[in-house]
Amino acid sequence: MPHLFEPIAFRGVSLRNRIGVSPMCQYSCENGLATDWHLVHLGSRAVGGAALVIVEATAVEAIGRISPHDMGIWTDAHTEPLARVARFVKAHGAVPGIQLAHAGRKASRGRPWEGGHHVPNETGGWPIAGASAIPFDEGWRTPEPLDDHGLARIREAFVAAIRRARDAGFEWLEIHAAHGYLLHSFYSPLSNHRSDQYGGSFENRTRLLLEVAKLARSEWPDDKPISVRISSTDWEPGGWTLDDSVALAGLLKASGIDLIDCSSAGNTPKPNVVPGASYQVPFAEAIRNRADIPTAAVGMITEAMQADDIIRNGRADLVLLARELLRDPYWPLRAFKTLHAKGDSPVPPQYLRAW
Ligand SMILES: Cc1cc2nc3c(=O)[nH]c(=O)nc-3n(C[C@H](O)[C@H](O)[C@H](O)COP(=O)(O)O)c2cc1C
């Protein structure tokens, strides 16, 4: 029976356990460049025993940032500061991953701890791009719908970003197609009212994501895995559903995607959901079983037994933790002890005297 500390391999990449650091924006970059903050923040979580450390949403073009302080990878100058993070994470036993993203209609906002307000052009904001001219909410910018030329630019930006991520030494690629950002806003009928071949039917709305996924698979090394983070449901009447996600997961699998990272919501301001412990795990379980593809569960997973139960009962192949790993970067080391796990301890030799 698999368990939380059982290694698992995806293509040629081995994870020492089933715990990943969920991507988390730090809003701490200038011009999209990784800094010492990212080295220490992500490095501590590798030292803390996670198997997979995924760098936050990293913008494939400058206007694809959520805020002016987001991570980016739209020029060659972005590669080396990220490579430094990837090297450290790898040297300490974790697999370095990166989430490539485009914020679409949710771009040009301030840092959450400064209120997350709209940033106007005069103070460093920018005109935004999206599927249709529908703002996310009242007081948000209206996106300029991407035309054929714009869509080609997005695909090219993903390709260039993927090559840079590869050159930086990342071994796990995640495409961000959740939380109301560009790719999600195309596949959700709530934000996509287009009448061209990228709007209307399920096939048309998922076209852009599948194009990006196929490009990713052809650019990313064959021996390295790719995951796609989706919003498994919009939690809204008339929105994207779990059944849609199962169908999409099958198409992503056929495009060479190795794992679906099963999040939800983010495309409407007030989705009909009250989050609680493991509340998104049923999505990871359904997609895993019905589309026959490995999944990651994420969302309010905070206890060792809870995480172990998800793996043991075949509800997901990985658990990704976000806020709990902000509270405690050593959560995996503690979980190893709590569960009396067998196998190689993830405790770094420098810390052994404490364990
Ligand atoms: C500070 C912070 C930043 C986040 N940034 C991202 C991000 O860059 N990409 C993403 O897909 N999700 C992001 N999320 C969502 C988390 O990855 C995760 O899905 C969510 O917090 C639920 O997991 P949790 O209950 O373990 O925190 C962020 C969450 C937090 C708390």
Side-chain angles (χ1 to χ4, degrees), residues 272-334:
N272 300 305
V273 56
V274 182
S278 291
Y279 76 110
Q280 292 176 145
V281 174
F283 303 134
E285 183 174 17
I287 291 169
R288 185 176 193 265
N289 293 335
R290 291 171 57 195
D292 191 26
I293 182 167
T295 58
V298 64
M300 299 189 83
I301 301 168
T302 57
E303 303 297 327
M305 294 269 278
Q306 177 193 9
D308 193 43
D309 168 77
I310 292 166
I311 303 299
R312 278 183 194 270
N313 287 303
R315 306 189 71 195
D317 299 271
L318 300 181
V319 290
L320 300 182
L321 278 63
R323 288 164 293 180
E324 188 59 20
L325 281 170
L326 295 186
R327 291 184 279 267
D328 180 5
Y330 305 110
W331 188 93
L333 303 185
R334 292 185 203 281

Short mmCIF file of all heavy atoms in Angstrom, two decimals, residues 272-334:
data_model
loop_
_atom_site.label_atom_id
_atom_site.label_comp_id
_atom_site.label_asym_id
_atom_site.label_seq_id
_atom_site.Cartn_x
_atom_site.Cartn_y
_atom_site.Cartn_z
N ASN A 272 -19.71 29.58 -4.82
CA ASN A 272 -20.58 28.96 -3.81
C ASN A 272 -19.87 27.81 -3.13
O ASN A 272 -20.19 26.65 -3.32
CB ASN A 272 -21.85 28.41 -4.49
CG ASN A 272 -22.61 29.52 -5.17
OD1 ASN A 272 -22.96 30.50 -4.53
ND2 ASN A 272 -22.84 29.37 -6.46
N VAL A 273 -18.89 28.13 -2.31
CA VAL A 273 -18.15 27.08 -1.61
C VAL A 273 -17.72 27.57 -0.24
O VAL A 273 -17.38 28.74 -0.08
CB VAL A 273 -16.91 26.62 -2.43
CG1 VAL A 273 -15.99 27.79 -2.75
CG2 VAL A 273 -16.13 25.53 -1.71
N VAL A 274 -17.81 26.66 0.73
CA VAL A 274 -17.27 26.95 2.05
C VAL A 274 -16.11 25.97 2.25
O VAL A 274 -16.33 24.79 2.49
CB VAL A 274 -18.33 26.76 3.16
CG1 VAL A 274 -17.74 27.11 4.52
CG2 VAL A 274 -19.57 27.58 2.86
N PRO A 275 -14.87 26.43 2.11
CA PRO A 275 -13.75 25.50 2.19
C PRO A 275 -13.60 24.89 3.59
O PRO A 275 -13.87 25.55 4.58
CB PRO A 275 -12.53 26.38 1.87
CG PRO A 275 -13.08 27.61 1.22
CD PRO A 275 -14.44 27.80 1.81
N GLY A 276 -13.25 23.63 3.62
CA GLY A 276 -12.97 22.92 4.87
C GLY A 276 -11.89 21.91 4.62
O GLY A 276 -11.39 21.78 3.49
N ALA A 277 -11.53 21.15 5.66
CA ALA A 277 -10.43 20.17 5.54
C ALA A 277 -10.65 19.28 4.31
O ALA A 277 -11.75 18.77 4.11
CB ALA A 277 -10.35 19.33 6.81
N SER A 278 -9.62 19.12 3.52
CA SER A 278 -9.63 18.20 2.35
C SER A 278 -10.73 18.49 1.33
O SER A 278 -11.08 17.62 0.55
CB SER A 278 -9.78 16.74 2.81
OG SER A 278 -8.64 16.29 3.49
N TYR A 279 -11.26 19.71 1.31
CA TYR A 279 -12.48 19.94 0.51
C TYR A 279 -12.29 19.74 -0.99
O TYR A 279 -13.26 19.51 -1.70
CB TYR A 279 -13.08 21.31 0.80
CG TYR A 279 -12.35 22.48 0.18
CD1 TYR A 279 -12.92 23.21 -0.87
CD2 TYR A 279 -11.10 22.87 0.62
CE1 TYR A 279 -12.26 24.28 -1.44
CE2 TYR A 279 -10.43 23.93 0.05
CZ TYR A 279 -11.02 24.64 -0.98
OH TYR A 279 -10.36 25.69 -1.55
N GLN A 280 -11.04 19.81 -1.47
CA GLN A 280 -10.84 19.61 -2.92
C GLN A 280 -10.37 18.18 -3.25
O GLN A 280 -10.22 17.84 -4.42
CB GLN A 280 -9.84 20.63 -3.46
CG GLN A 280 -10.42 22.05 -3.41
CD GLN A 280 -9.47 23.15 -3.85
OE1 GLN A 280 -9.90 24.11 -4.43
NE2 GLN A 280 -8.18 23.05 -3.54
N VAL A 281 -10.15 17.37 -2.20
CA VAL A 281 -9.66 16.00 -2.44
C VAL A 281 -10.63 15.20 -3.32
O VAL A 281 -10.18 14.43 -4.18
CB VAL A 281 -9.35 15.30 -1.10
CG1 VAL A 281 -8.97 13.84 -1.32
CG2 VAL A 281 -8.23 16.03 -0.36
N PRO A 282 -11.96 15.35 -3.15
CA PRO A 282 -12.86 14.57 -4.03
C PRO A 282 -12.61 14.83 -5.52
O PRO A 282 -12.84 13.94 -6.35
CB PRO A 282 -14.26 15.05 -3.62
CG PRO A 282 -14.10 15.50 -2.19
CD PRO A 282 -12.71 16.09 -2.11
N PHE A 283 -12.11 16.01 -5.87
CA PHE A 283 -11.81 16.29 -7.28
C PHE A 283 -10.59 15.47 -7.73
O PHE A 283 -10.58 14.88 -8.80
CB PHE A 283 -11.56 17.78 -7.51
CG PHE A 283 -12.70 18.65 -7.07
CD1 PHE A 283 -12.49 19.79 -6.32
CD2 PHE A 283 -14.00 18.31 -7.40
CE1 PHE A 283 -13.54 20.59 -5.91
CE2 PHE A 283 -15.08 19.10 -6.99
CZ PHE A 283 -14.84 20.24 -6.24
N ALA A 284 -9.56 15.48 -6.89
CA ALA A 284 -8.35 14.71 -7.23
C ALA A 284 -8.69 13.23 -7.36
O ALA A 284 -8.19 12.52 -8.26
CB ALA A 284 -7.28 14.93 -6.15
N GLU A 285 -9.57 12.76 -6.49
CA GLU A 285 -9.95 11.34 -6.49
C GLU A 285 -10.76 11.01 -7.75
O GLU A 285 -10.49 10.02 -8.44
CB GLU A 285 -10.78 11.04 -5.23
CG GLU A 285 -11.17 9.59 -5.11
CD GLU A 285 -11.85 9.29 -3.78
OE1 GLU A 285 -12.31 10.24 -3.10
OE2 GLU A 285 -11.90 8.10 -3.42
N ALA A 286 -11.74 11.85 -8.06
CA ALA A 286 -12.60 11.57 -9.22
C ALA A 286 -11.80 11.63 -10.52
O ALA A 286 -11.95 10.78 -11.40
CB ALA A 286 -13.75 12.58 -9.26
N ILE A 287 -10.94 12.63 -10.64
CA ILE A 287 -10.18 12.78 -11.89
C ILE A 287 -9.18 11.62 -12.02
O ILE A 287 -9.01 11.05 -13.10
CB ILE A 287 -9.50 14.17 -11.92
CG1 ILE A 287 -10.58 15.25 -12.06
CG2 ILE A 287 -8.47 14.25 -13.05
CD1 ILE A 287 -10.10 16.68 -11.84
N ARG A 288 -8.57 11.24 -10.89
CA ARG A 288 -7.62 10.11 -10.91
C ARG A 288 -8.32 8.83 -11.37
O ARG A 288 -7.81 8.08 -12.20
CB ARG A 288 -7.06 9.92 -9.50
CG ARG A 288 -5.99 8.87 -9.36
CD ARG A 288 -5.47 8.89 -7.92
NE ARG A 288 -4.25 8.12 -7.81
CZ ARG A 288 -4.22 6.85 -7.42
NH1 ARG A 288 -5.34 6.21 -7.14
NH2 ARG A 288 -3.06 6.22 -7.34
N ASN A 289 -9.49 8.58 -10.80
CA ASN A 289 -10.17 7.32 -11.10
C ASN A 289 -10.87 7.34 -12.45
O ASN A 289 -10.85 6.35 -13.18
CB ASN A 289 -11.19 7.00 -10.00
CG ASN A 289 -10.48 6.71 -8.69
OD1 ASN A 289 -9.32 6.30 -8.69
ND2 ASN A 289 -11.15 6.95 -7.57
N ARG A 290 -11.49 8.47 -12.78
CA ARG A 290 -12.31 8.48 -14.00
C ARG A 290 -11.49 8.78 -15.26
O ARG A 290 -11.83 8.32 -16.34
CB ARG A 290 -13.46 9.48 -13.85
CG ARG A 290 -14.50 9.01 -12.80
CD ARG A 290 -15.53 10.09 -12.48
NE ARG A 290 -16.23 10.56 -13.66
CZ ARG A 290 -16.95 11.68 -13.69
NH1 ARG A 290 -17.08 12.43 -12.60
NH2 ARG A 290 -17.54 12.06 -14.80
N ALA A 291 -10.41 9.57 -15.13
CA ALA A 291 -9.60 9.87 -16.32
C ALA A 291 -8.32 9.03 -16.34
O ALA A 291 -7.53 9.12 -17.28
CB ALA A 291 -9.27 11.35 -16.38
N ASP A 292 -8.12 8.25 -15.28
CA ASP A 292 -6.96 7.35 -15.21
C ASP A 292 -5.65 8.10 -15.42
O ASP A 292 -4.83 7.76 -16.28
CB ASP A 292 -7.13 6.23 -16.25
CG ASP A 292 -6.11 5.13 -16.02
OD1 ASP A 292 -5.65 4.98 -14.88
OD2 ASP A 292 -5.76 4.44 -17.01
N ILE A 293 -5.47 9.15 -14.63
CA ILE A 293 -4.23 9.94 -14.69
C ILE A 293 -3.84 10.28 -13.24
O ILE A 293 -4.73 10.52 -12.41
CB ILE A 293 -4.42 11.21 -15.55
CG1 ILE A 293 -3.11 12.01 -15.65
CG2 ILE A 293 -5.55 12.11 -15.04
CD1 ILE A 293 -3.11 13.10 -16.72
N PRO A 294 -2.54 10.28 -12.92
CA PRO A 294 -2.14 10.69 -11.57
C PRO A 294 -2.62 12.11 -11.26
O PRO A 294 -2.72 12.96 -12.15
CB PRO A 294 -0.61 10.63 -11.64
CG PRO A 294 -0.31 9.63 -12.70
CD PRO A 294 -1.40 9.83 -13.73
N THR A 295 -2.91 12.32 -9.97
CA THR A 295 -3.38 13.65 -9.54
C THR A 295 -2.64 14.09 -8.28
O THR A 295 -2.09 13.27 -7.54
CB THR A 295 -4.89 13.66 -9.23
OG1 THR A 295 -5.17 12.71 -8.20
CG2 THR A 295 -5.73 13.38 -10.46
N ALA A 296 -2.67 15.40 -8.07
CA ALA A 296 -2.25 15.98 -6.80
C ALA A 296 -3.47 16.59 -6.15
O ALA A 296 -4.28 17.23 -6.82
CB ALA A 296 -1.18 17.05 -7.02
N ALA A 297 -3.58 16.37 -4.83
CA ALA A 297 -4.65 17.00 -4.05
C ALA A 297 -4.07 18.22 -3.35
O ALA A 297 -2.92 18.20 -2.92
CB ALA A 297 -5.20 16.02 -3.02
N VAL A 298 -4.87 19.27 -3.27
CA VAL A 298 -4.41 20.51 -2.63
C VAL A 298 -5.59 21.16 -1.93
O VAL A 298 -6.74 20.99 -2.35
CB VAL A 298 -3.77 21.47 -3.67
CG1 VAL A 298 -4.77 21.94 -4.71
CG2 VAL A 298 -3.11 22.66 -2.99
N GLY A 299 -5.31 21.89 -0.88
CA GLY A 299 -6.34 22.66 -0.21
C GLY A 299 -6.68 22.15 1.16
O GLY A 299 -7.26 21.09 1.32
N MET A 300 -6.27 22.90 2.17
CA MET A 300 -6.59 22.61 3.57
C MET A 300 -6.19 21.19 3.99
O MET A 300 -6.94 20.47 4.63
CB MET A 300 -8.04 22.93 3.86
CG MET A 300 -8.27 24.43 3.59
SD MET A 300 -9.84 25.08 4.10
CE MET A 300 -9.54 25.38 5.83
N ILE A 301 -5.00 20.82 3.56
CA ILE A 301 -4.37 19.58 4.04
C ILE A 301 -3.31 20.05 5.03
O ILE A 301 -2.36 20.74 4.66
CB ILE A 301 -3.74 18.79 2.87
CG1 ILE A 301 -4.82 18.44 1.84
CG2 ILE A 301 -3.04 17.53 3.39
CD1 ILE A 301 -4.28 17.92 0.51
N THR A 302 -3.51 19.72 6.30
CA THR A 302 -2.65 20.29 7.34
C THR A 302 -2.09 19.26 8.32
O THR A 302 -1.16 19.57 9.06
CB THR A 302 -3.43 21.33 8.18
OG1 THR A 302 -4.58 20.69 8.73
CG2 THR A 302 -3.88 22.52 7.32
N GLU A 303 -2.66 18.05 8.34
CA GLU A 303 -2.26 17.05 9.33
C GLU A 303 -1.58 15.87 8.65
O GLU A 303 -1.97 15.47 7.55
CB GLU A 303 -3.49 16.52 10.09
CG GLU A 303 -4.30 17.59 10.79
CD GLU A 303 -3.50 18.32 11.87
OE1 GLU A 303 -2.64 17.68 12.50
OE2 GLU A 303 -3.73 19.52 12.06
N ALA A 304 -0.61 15.28 9.36
CA ALA A 304 0.14 14.15 8.79
C ALA A 304 -0.79 12.98 8.47
O ALA A 304 -0.72 12.39 7.37
CB ALA A 304 1.23 13.71 9.78
N MET A 305 -1.69 12.65 9.41
CA MET A 305 -2.59 11.50 9.19
C MET A 305 -3.54 11.77 8.02
O MET A 305 -3.86 10.86 7.25
CB MET A 305 -3.43 11.26 10.45
CG MET A 305 -2.63 10.82 11.63
SD MET A 305 -2.49 9.05 11.72
CE MET A 305 -4.04 8.66 12.49
N GLN A 306 -3.98 13.00 7.92
CA GLN A 306 -4.89 13.39 6.82
C GLN A 306 -4.19 13.20 5.48
O GLN A 306 -4.75 12.62 4.54
CB GLN A 306 -5.26 14.86 7.04
CG GLN A 306 -6.15 15.48 5.98
CD GLN A 306 -6.19 17.02 6.11
OE1 GLN A 306 -5.43 17.60 6.89
NE2 GLN A 306 -7.08 17.64 5.36
N ALA A 307 -2.95 13.67 5.39
CA ALA A 307 -2.19 13.56 4.14
C ALA A 307 -1.90 12.09 3.81
O ALA A 307 -2.05 11.66 2.66
CB ALA A 307 -0.90 14.35 4.26
N ASP A 308 -1.52 11.34 4.84
CA ASP A 308 -1.20 9.92 4.64
C ASP A 308 -2.44 9.15 4.18
O ASP A 308 -2.37 8.31 3.28
CB ASP A 308 -0.69 9.37 5.97
CG ASP A 308 -0.04 8.01 5.82
OD1 ASP A 308 0.72 7.82 4.84
OD2 ASP A 308 -0.30 7.13 6.67
N ASP A 309 -3.60 9.50 4.75
CA ASP A 309 -4.85 8.85 4.39
C ASP A 309 -5.19 9.08 2.90
O ASP A 309 -5.65 8.18 2.21
CB ASP A 309 -5.96 9.41 5.30
CG ASP A 309 -7.34 9.02 4.83
OD1 ASP A 309 -7.72 7.87 5.07
OD2 ASP A 309 -8.01 9.87 4.20
N ILE A 310 -4.93 10.29 2.43
CA ILE A 310 -5.22 10.62 1.02
C ILE A 310 -4.41 9.72 0.09
O ILE A 310 -4.91 9.19 -0.90
CB ILE A 310 -4.94 12.12 0.75
CG1 ILE A 310 -5.94 13.00 1.51
CG2 ILE A 310 -4.97 12.43 -0.75
CD1 ILE A 310 -5.55 14.47 1.60
N ILE A 311 -3.14 9.51 0.45
CA ILE A 311 -2.27 8.66 -0.39
C ILE A 311 -2.64 7.19 -0.22
O ILE A 311 -2.81 6.46 -1.21
CB ILE A 311 -0.78 8.90 -0.03
CG1 ILE A 311 -0.41 10.37 -0.18
CG2 ILE A 311 0.12 7.98 -0.88
CD1 ILE A 311 -0.57 10.96 -1.56
N ARG A 312 -2.81 6.75 1.02
CA ARG A 312 -3.09 5.32 1.28
C ARG A 312 -4.38 4.85 0.62
O ARG A 312 -4.49 3.70 0.18
CB ARG A 312 -3.21 5.05 2.78
CG ARG A 312 -1.89 4.89 3.45
CD ARG A 312 -2.04 4.56 4.92
NE ARG A 312 -0.75 4.74 5.56
CZ ARG A 312 0.16 3.77 5.67
NH1 ARG A 312 -0.08 2.56 5.23
NH2 ARG A 312 1.32 4.03 6.23
N ASN A 313 -5.36 5.74 0.60
CA ASN A 313 -6.65 5.34 0.05
C ASN A 313 -6.79 5.65 -1.44
O ASN A 313 -7.90 5.62 -1.99
CB ASN A 313 -7.79 5.96 0.86
CG ASN A 313 -7.89 5.25 2.21
OD1 ASN A 313 -8.07 4.04 2.26
ND2 ASN A 313 -7.71 5.99 3.28
N GLY A 314 -5.66 5.95 -2.07
CA GLY A 314 -5.68 6.12 -3.53
C GLY A 314 -6.51 7.31 -3.97
O GLY A 314 -7.08 7.30 -5.07
N ARG A 315 -6.59 8.33 -3.12
CA ARG A 315 -7.42 9.49 -3.50
C ARG A 315 -6.61 10.48 -4.35
O ARG A 315 -7.17 11.30 -5.05
CB ARG A 315 -7.99 10.14 -2.25
CG ARG A 315 -8.76 9.13 -1.38
CD ARG A 315 -9.50 9.80 -0.25
NE ARG A 315 -10.64 10.55 -0.75
CZ ARG A 315 -11.30 11.46 -0.06
NH1 ARG A 315 -10.93 11.75 1.17
NH2 ARG A 315 -12.32 12.11 -0.59
N ALA A 316 -5.28 10.40 -4.23
CA ALA A 316 -4.37 11.23 -5.04
C ALA A 316 -2.99 10.59 -4.95
O ALA A 316 -2.73 9.75 -4.08
CB ALA A 316 -4.32 12.66 -4.52
N ASP A 317 -2.11 11.02 -5.86
CA ASP A 317 -0.74 10.47 -5.87
C ASP A 317 0.22 11.36 -5.09
O ASP A 317 1.25 10.90 -4.60
CB ASP A 317 -0.28 10.32 -7.32
CG ASP A 317 -1.18 9.36 -8.07
OD1 ASP A 317 -0.89 8.15 -8.05
OD2 ASP A 317 -2.21 9.81 -8.61
N LEU A 318 -0.10 12.66 -5.04
CA LEU A 318 0.71 13.62 -4.28
C LEU A 318 -0.23 14.49 -3.47
O LEU A 318 -1.39 14.69 -3.85
CB LEU A 318 1.48 14.56 -5.23
CG LEU A 318 2.47 13.98 -6.22
CD1 LEU A 318 3.11 15.13 -7.02
CD2 LEU A 318 3.54 13.17 -5.50
N VAL A 319 0.29 15.05 -2.37
CA VAL A 319 -0.42 16.14 -1.70
C VAL A 319 0.45 17.38 -1.83
O VAL A 319 1.68 17.31 -1.68
CB VAL A 319 -0.71 15.84 -0.20
CG1 VAL A 319 -1.76 14.75 -0.07
CG2 VAL A 319 0.55 15.49 0.56
N LEU A 320 -0.19 18.49 -2.14
CA LEU A 320 0.52 19.77 -2.20
C LEU A 320 0.01 20.62 -1.04
O LEU A 320 -1.20 20.75 -0.85
CB LEU A 320 0.26 20.49 -3.53
CG LEU A 320 0.68 19.74 -4.79
CD1 LEU A 320 0.41 20.60 -6.03
CD2 LEU A 320 2.17 19.37 -4.75
N LEU A 321 0.93 21.14 -0.26
CA LEU A 321 0.56 21.99 0.87
C LEU A 321 1.02 23.41 0.59
O LEU A 321 2.12 23.62 0.06
CB LEU A 321 1.23 21.49 2.17
CG LEU A 321 0.56 20.33 2.92
CD1 LEU A 321 0.53 19.06 2.10
CD2 LEU A 321 1.27 20.10 4.25
N ALA A 322 0.18 24.37 0.96
CA ALA A 322 0.56 25.77 0.76
C ALA A 322 0.71 26.44 2.13
O ALA A 322 1.80 26.47 2.69
CB ALA A 322 -0.46 26.47 -0.13
N ARG A 323 -0.40 26.92 2.69
CA ARG A 323 -0.28 27.73 3.91
C ARG A 323 0.34 26.99 5.08
O ARG A 323 1.09 27.58 5.87
CB ARG A 323 -1.66 28.29 4.29
CG ARG A 323 -2.11 29.38 3.33
CD ARG A 323 -3.58 29.67 3.44
NE ARG A 323 -4.38 28.54 2.99
CZ ARG A 323 -5.71 28.53 2.97
NH1 ARG A 323 -6.37 29.58 3.39
NH2 ARG A 323 -6.37 27.47 2.52
N GLU A 324 0.09 25.68 5.18
CA GLU A 324 0.68 24.94 6.31
C GLU A 324 2.21 24.96 6.22
O GLU A 324 2.90 25.00 7.23
CB GLU A 324 0.14 23.50 6.34
CG GLU A 324 0.53 22.72 7.58
CD GLU A 324 0.05 23.34 8.90
OE1 GLU A 324 -0.88 24.16 8.91
OE2 GLU A 324 0.66 22.99 9.93
N LEU A 325 2.73 24.97 4.99
CA LEU A 325 4.19 25.03 4.84
C LEU A 325 4.73 26.46 5.02
O LEU A 325 5.94 26.64 5.20
CB LEU A 325 4.61 24.46 3.48
CG LEU A 325 4.64 22.93 3.42
CD1 LEU A 325 4.81 22.43 1.99
CD2 LEU A 325 5.75 22.36 4.30
N LEU A 326 3.84 27.45 4.99
CA LEU A 326 4.28 28.81 5.39
C LEU A 326 4.38 28.88 6.91
O LEU A 326 5.26 29.54 7.47
CB LEU A 326 3.30 29.88 4.90
CG LEU A 326 3.16 30.06 3.39
CD1 LEU A 326 2.25 31.26 3.10
CD2 LEU A 326 4.51 30.27 2.73
N ARG A 327 3.46 28.15 7.58
CA ARG A 327 3.52 28.14 9.05
C ARG A 327 4.70 27.32 9.54
O ARG A 327 5.31 27.63 10.55
CB ARG A 327 2.21 27.58 9.62
CG ARG A 327 1.01 28.50 9.41
CD ARG A 327 -0.25 27.97 10.07
NE ARG A 327 -0.93 26.97 9.29
CZ ARG A 327 -1.92 27.21 8.42
NH1 ARG A 327 -2.36 28.44 8.24
NH2 ARG A 327 -2.48 26.23 7.75
N ASP A 328 5.02 26.25 8.79
CA ASP A 328 6.06 25.33 9.27
C ASP A 328 6.79 24.68 8.09
O ASP A 328 6.31 23.70 7.53
CB ASP A 328 5.40 24.24 10.13
CG ASP A 328 6.42 23.25 10.67
OD1 ASP A 328 7.64 23.45 10.46
OD2 ASP A 328 6.00 22.26 11.29
N PRO A 329 7.96 25.24 7.73
CA PRO A 329 8.68 24.65 6.59
C PRO A 329 9.15 23.22 6.86
O PRO A 329 9.49 22.49 5.93
CB PRO A 329 9.88 25.59 6.39
CG PRO A 329 9.97 26.43 7.61
CD PRO A 329 8.63 26.40 8.29
N TYR A 330 9.17 22.84 8.15
CA TYR A 330 9.65 21.49 8.53
C TYR A 330 8.51 20.50 8.69
O TYR A 330 8.71 19.42 9.24
CB TYR A 330 10.49 21.60 9.81
CG TYR A 330 11.60 22.60 9.64
CD1 TYR A 330 11.57 23.81 10.32
CD2 TYR A 330 12.64 22.37 8.74
CE1 TYR A 330 12.57 24.76 10.11
CE2 TYR A 330 13.63 23.31 8.53
CZ TYR A 330 13.58 24.50 9.21
OH TYR A 330 14.56 25.44 9.00
N TRP A 331 7.34 20.86 8.20
CA TRP A 331 6.17 19.98 8.32
C TRP A 331 6.48 18.55 7.84
O TRP A 331 6.13 17.60 8.55
CB TRP A 331 5.00 20.58 7.53
CG TRP A 331 3.69 19.90 7.73
CD1 TRP A 331 2.72 20.21 8.64
CD2 TRP A 331 3.19 18.76 7.00
NE1 TRP A 331 1.65 19.36 8.52
CE2 TRP A 331 1.92 18.46 7.52
CE3 TRP A 331 3.69 17.97 5.96
CZ2 TRP A 331 1.14 17.40 7.03
CZ3 TRP A 331 2.92 16.92 5.49
CH2 TRP A 331 1.67 16.64 6.02
N PRO A 332 7.16 18.37 6.69
CA PRO A 332 7.42 16.99 6.27
C PRO A 332 8.29 16.22 7.27
O PRO A 332 8.07 15.02 7.50
CB PRO A 332 8.13 17.16 4.92
CG PRO A 332 7.65 18.50 4.42
CD PRO A 332 7.55 19.34 5.66
N LEU A 333 9.27 16.89 7.88
CA LEU A 333 10.12 16.20 8.86
C LEU A 333 9.27 15.78 10.07
O LEU A 333 9.41 14.67 10.58
CB LEU A 333 11.26 17.11 9.33
CG LEU A 333 12.19 17.67 8.25
CD1 LEU A 333 13.33 18.46 8.88
CD2 LEU A 333 12.74 16.56 7.36
N ARG A 334 8.39 16.67 10.51
CA ARG A 334 7.52 16.34 11.66
C ARG A 334 6.57 15.21 11.29
O ARG A 334 6.30 14.32 12.10
CB ARG A 334 6.71 17.55 12.07
CG ARG A 334 7.51 18.67 12.66
CD ARG A 334 6.55 19.77 13.15
NE ARG A 334 7.20 21.05 13.24
CZ ARG A 334 8.00 21.42 14.24
NH1 ARG A 334 8.23 20.60 15.24
NH2 ARG A 334 8.57 22.60 14.24
#
